[in-house]
Amino acid sequence: MKFLRNLNKKEIVGKTCLLRVDLNIAEKEAKNSPRILGILATIEFLTNNGAKVVILSHRGRPKPVKRINPKSKILNPKEFSLKPFAKILSKLLKKPVHFIDFSKNWKEILATINGSKNNIFLLENLRFLAGEEKNDRKLAKQLARLGDFYVNDAFAVSHRNAASVSAITKFLPSYAGLLLEKEIKNLSVVMKNPKRPFVVILGGAKISDKIGLIKKFSAGERRADYFLIGGGIANNFLLAQSLPIGDSIFEESTVNFAKKMLKNKKVILPVDYAIENRKILDIGPNTIKMYSDIIKKAKTIIWNGPMGYFENPKFAKGSGEIAKAIISNKKAFSAIGGGETASIIHNSKFIIHNNIFVSTGGGAMLEYLAGKKLSGIEALK
Ligand code: ADP
Ligand code: MG
């Protein structure tokens, strides 16, 4: 894999870079979102070295059209347009960001980029085009004509086979951006011989997303010394023991997996809960104490998934206290990921030190740590 960092000015100046990022973020959270803040350095690196930058991203799941032409009616509901992000990026970068929508055809788009005095462009939501999610070669080729080289700085979508993530690398010299490089370097620390005790903390709503990671860290050199289970996924382990869970969330299809996992002595389950209206909504004080004591002694920590329904402040205590325990342990290397989990860390009042790595990936981080090959990263090789 080639890294953008290793390119020198001569190789960049006067060229146009297609930069794939992940702007799939709620607009009101954008200014503080690590996914946006994390790409600013890459954009600055490119423009400081004399390149034009065309930013590519998707947003949400709009209904796509087959191809762009002024007559094809793009179902363009405002909620999916990337237009507001041109302003947000412009403010953060303190430079103009020129938004390009799909009322133009490809030739006109290219002419706009080449003819403009601006250096930074944001192209409309690529998922308005049917080829994006199909990893379509034609769309990739079309996009590639807009630039001289390609940079992937979208770790969070690198597990998806999309035209602007995978296929495009066939048509242009391609590099990993500064943010993607940081993700790979930090997460591989955990992948190679984690220092012990090694603690994996898992919560959130869906255990099915996390089975690959649990398996990976259940045996071999990377086996975890403790799995601390919380959040909705703990309910599956209660069910597996035929314990009542009232109206709490669970996933029927994973009960057998949970049964098998119960035989693993490394799996630690909550001993008490916060319950309301027959629903388990957070871990209880004794569990917080028990988990915090284990976290204090850890040398490597992975955390994915909140310990409870933290959106309601009444049930945010478990997640908040686990965040506190992790951040207070300055001796451990901690990798934290997942959209919700990352926001808990960023909104906590604690100062995040150098040994804490907050990944911008949710699903991508889980797949990467589970040892799966991510198509977007493979495509760069
Ligand atoms: P992340 O985005 O960090 O990967 P997930 O998407 O796996 O996390 O799960 C986050 C969601 O899980 C949150 O919206 C949270 O409210 C929910 N959740 C966690 N524990 C519970 C619970 N006990 N009952 C209901 N929802 C829960
Ligand atoms: Mg989530």
Side-chain angles (χ1 to χ4, degrees):
M1 193 179 334
K2 289 190 214 139
F3 295 97
L4 173 65
R5 178 188 302 284
N6 299 332
L7 289 185
N8 57 41
K9 187 156 190 166
K10 260 196 217 146
E11 294 166 291
I12 299 177
V13 69
K15 295 197 170 147
T16 299
C17 171
L18 298 184
L19 175 65
R20 179 54 153 109
V21 300
D22 183 6
L23 299 178
N24 191 26
I25 313 161
E27 218 178 299
K28 55 179 195 301
E29 280 159 31
K31 277 187 300 237
N32 303 314
S33 162
R35 283 191 189 159
I36 279 214
L37 300 176
I39 59 169
L40 301 179
T42 305
I43 299 171
E44 274 157 3
F45 179 88
L46 287 160
T47 52
N48 290 344
N49 282 295
K52 285 194 175 191
V53 184
V54 181
I55 300 167
L56 310 175
S57 180
H58 74 281
R59 185 179 183 200
R61 297 196 162 268
K63 267 216 174 91
V65 293
K66 283 222 176 71
R67 65 175 72 85
I68 51 167
N69 77 54
K71 276 178 221 143
S72 68
K73 252 200 217 135
I74 287 182
L75 295 168
N76 193 342
K78 270 199 191 136
E79 59 183 306
F80 295 124
S81 176
L82 281 173
K83 192 168 182 193
F85 287 82
K87 228 187 202 164
I88 294 166
L89 280 166
S90 176
K91 260 198 194 143
L92 290 168
L93 292 161
K94 302 191 179 72
K95 280 180 194 143
V97 175
H98 186 128
F99 180 70
I100 303 175
D101 66 24
F102 293 140
S103 62
K104 294 184 170 75
N105 64 32
W106 290 110
K107 251 194 191 156
E108 290 164 339
I109 291 175
L110 182 61
T112 305
I113 295 164
N114 290 339
S116 168
K117 269 181 265 157
N118 285 331
N119 290 329
I120 310 167
F121 305 84
L122 172 62
L123 197 62
E124 181 56 291
N125 186 353
L126 286 173
R127 282 198 187 159
F128 283 146
L129 310 177
E132 170 65 358
E133 284 200 90
K134 290 185 184 140
N135 196 25
D136 179 51
R137 282 179 67 95
K138 266 193 210 148
L139 175 60
K141 205 170 171 181
Q142 211 38 281
L143 286 169
R145 288 197 188 107
L146 302 178
D148 303 302
F149 66 103
Y150 168 78
V151 170
N152 179 348
D153 225 7
F155 177 68
V157 290
S158 289
H159 59 319
R160 307 229 187 263
N161 234 340
S164 66
V165 179
S166 297
I168 192 164
T169 60
K170 300 220 165 69
F171 303 101
L172 288 175
S174 301
Y175 305 88
L178 307 183
L179 179 61
L180 182 60
E181 181 182 352
K182 205 163 113 188
E183 293 277 358
I184 295 173
K185 292 204 166 143
N186 276 287
L187 294 180
S188 48
V189 172
V190 189
M191 300 293 285
K192 283 179 219 137
N193 284 326
K195 279 197 191 147
R196 298 179 177 281
F198 172 31
V199 178
V200 176
I201 309 159
L202 293 173
K206 287 206 317 208
I207 187 171
S208 48
D209 298 340
K210 295 164 196 185
I211 287 178
L213 182 137
I214 297 175
K215 282 186 178 156
K216 193 83 207 170
F217 290 111
S218 288
E221 279 188 343
R222 277 177 228 159
R223 78 198 172 279
D225 297 304
Y226 300 94
F227 287 99
L228 306 181
I229 308 289
I233 76 169
N235 304 341
N236 302 294
F237 290 93
L238 297 181
L239 265 188
Q241 295 167 282
S242 305
L243 293 168
I245 61 162
D247 297 330
S248 309
I249 58 163
F250 69 99
E251 282 178 281
E252 188 131 35
S253 62
T254 63
V255 173
N256 274 334
F257 173 75
K259 267 186 194 154
K260 265 188 226 144
M261 279 302 295
L262 282 171
K263 291 191 195 122
N264 181 342
K265 291 208 184 70
K266 309 279 155 70
V267 174
I268 317 282
L269 296 174
V271 289
D272 56 351
Y273 300 91
I275 298 171
E276 190 177 84
N277 295 334
R278 290 175 43 84
K279 286 188 184 110
I280 298 172
L281 294 171
D282 198 7
I283 54 173
N286 295 321
T287 309
I288 291 173
K289 170 87 177 55
M290 176 174 80
Y291 285 9
S292 300
D293 286 344
I294 294 173
I295 292 167
K296 256 183 223 158
K297 293 182 196 127
K299 292 272 166 56
T300 308
I301 301 169
I302 294 176
W303 182 24
N304 176 276
M307 293 290 105
Y309 174 52
F310 75 98
E311 288 90 342
N312 180 337
K314 269 204 296 198
F315 305 107
K317 186 146 197 244
S319 303
E321 291 293 318
I322 293 302
K324 183 175 159 187
I326 294 173
I327 295 174
S328 309
N329 180 347
K330 298 207 166 82
K331 284 192 200 119
F333 176 79
S334 303
I336 299 165
E340 269 88 21
T341 315
S343 80
I344 291 168
I345 286 285
H346 286 292
N347 295 326
S348 75
K349 50 186 186 301
F350 307 105
I351 293 163
I352 299 168
H353 50 84
N354 280 341
N355 274 352
I356 304 267
F357 175 66
V358 184
S359 173
T360 56
M365 176 179 116
L366 290 175
E367 289 195 16
Y368 189 85
L369 289 178
K372 285 193 196 143
K373 299 214 144 112
L374 309 194
S375 42
I377 292 177
E378 291 308 301
L380 291 174
K381 287 181 183 164

